[in-house]
Each structure stands twice: as C-alpha cells, then as structure tokens.
Amino acid sequence: MKIKLLLSVALFMGLFTVLSTTRAEENASQLPPKEKFEIYLLIGQSNMAGRGKVDPATNKAHPRVLKLDKQGKWVPATDPLHFDKPKIAGVGPGSGFGPVIAEAKPGVTIGLIPAAVGGTPLSRWVKGGDLYERAVKLAKENQKYGEIKGAIWHQGEGDSSNPKLYNSYQKRLSGMIADLRKDLNEPDMPFVMGELGEFFTRPGAETVNKSLHGIAETVPATAVASSKGLPAKSDQVHFNAEAEREFGKRYAAQMLKLQKQAAEK
C-alpha cells in the first residue's frame, strides 16, 4: 500500500513538473527575442495602479505592449493593467506610457510589470519592505525574457499627512532607487517619478513634490513627470482616466529623454 502511494506521489510530482515547464515554455514562446523585449516596472500606490474608469468599447491593447498578469504570464496590455484591488482597479499611467514607448521604438515589444498597490506608504517600498521585495522578484524572474529598461513611480499621498514621513521622503526614496538599481544589476536604470496631483491638498503634498524634483537634481538618470493641469475624479485623490493616460505620456516623454541622454554619453 505504501509503495503504491509513493509511486502515485512520484507520478503526480513528475506530471506537475512537466506541466510547469510546459507552461513556462508557452509563456516564453509568446515573446519576441530577448533583445527585442523591453521591460518596465510600474510601482507605487493607487495613482500608479490606476483608478480611472475603463471604457470597454475602447479597451484594446497596443499590438506591441504586454503586461504581466496575476499568474505571471505575459498577455496583451488591456485595462486595468493592475490587479491590486480588482473591484476598483482601472486606467493608470501605464496605459498611456506603454504605447508611446512602443511607437518610439518600432520593432520592439514593451513589457509592463504592474506592481503598484493602492494605499501603501513608502516604508513598504524601500529595501526589506514586502512590496519592494515583490517587485524585485518579479523583475528578476523576467530578466531572462528581456531587459529591464526603466521604472515609473507614483507614490507619496500615503506619506503626506505625517511630517516625519514627508520631511524624510527625498532621502528615503533616493535610497530606494539606489537599492533597486543594485538589486537588479542595472546601475543606470532610468527612474521617472510623477508629481502628486495639484488637487491633492494634504499638508505634505508640496514637500513630496519638492522632494521628487530634489531627487531629479541630485540622482543620475532620474526625472519627474509633471501633473500640471491634470484633473481628478470626484474623490479629489485620484486622477481620472483621461488624466491618467496623459500622465502616462508625460512619463514616457521623460523616460525617452533619459534613455537618449544615456545613449549619447
């Protein structure tokens, strides 16, 4: 009886290994050659995850923009890109970012790793924090398929109510950028940060935005995407869908600018 049980377990484990390998191969087979696959990290809190309303009638993916889904499979990048809070996840800046990068690079496929989580403080995104470690893990697992070409970041709302947090924001985020580059073995990886919305009025919002610009002035290969003129939803916390797509285009413009500067060195 024990022998039959052991044989059954061994057979099951063997079948599981074969199926897992097959799924991984199927995943990889959908992708272009590694040198033609550029991967970008989308990290931060809810305005990166996206809370803009999705329009099913126009929700179509760019033919050369993919997203990593919840199962770790590369699929067409339809909205919502993120799945942090399925009931409210919607259009985010990645929706505007991916297509602009793809159009600027004919023949290249863009892969977006959606790792943002709504309502999260910077403390969870620094090295050792659960979301930082998760994002690094996802990026490393996919470096065999393509090259990590940059990260886009939107966070700060969650740190804007506590003086201790917003007054130390620049130092803490600068440290995170350095750690992220080191852990991904991408020392010059472009990192673009988005301003908090003009409509966001918590006490530390202005300090957080100043911190972002301070980083752009002191940390190489970083830039800031402006939120000027971008409207909010009725909650006065999240950008609406149109604003999120425009914001994504601004992120893309800054990313391409950083990449061009690096190429000219």
Side-chain angles (χ1 to χ4, degrees), residues 12-30 71-73 144-145:
F12 173 78
M13 292 306 294
L15 181 60
F16 178 79
T17 300
V18 170
L19 288 173
S20 297
T21 302
T22 302
R23 285 172 184 160
E25 289 173 350
E26 287 175 353
N27 186 23
S29 69
Q30 298 172 3
Q71 287 70 45
K73 184 176 181 179
K144 59 179 174 283
Y145 300 126

Side-chain angles (χ1 to χ4, degrees), residues 125-143:
W125 288 101
V126 298
K127 187 175 177 64
D130 62 323
L131 297 179
Y132 173 92
E133 299 300 336
R134 173 175 166 270
V136 168
K137 180 175 182 290
L138 289 172
K140 283 184 173 181
E141 287 174 349
N142 285 281
Q143 282 180 312

Side-chain angles (χ1 to χ4, degrees), residues 194-228:
E195 291 179 331
L196 303 189
E198 294 177 311
F199 49 79
F200 192 71
T201 58
R202 286 184 188 171
E206 184 178 354
T207 300
V208 168
N209 280 344
K210 286 182 178 179
S211 297
L212 301 180
H213 286 277
I215 292 170
E217 292 171 0
T218 57
V219 178
T222 63
V224 177
S226 171
S227 66
K228 186 174 178 61

Side-chain angles (χ1 to χ4, degrees), residues 31-38 109 142-147:
L31 304 178
K34 184 175 180 178
E35 65 275 11
K36 293 290 186 179
F37 190 43
E38 294 192 354
T109 297
N142 285 281
Q143 282 180 312
K144 59 179 174 283
Y145 300 126
E147 183 180 354

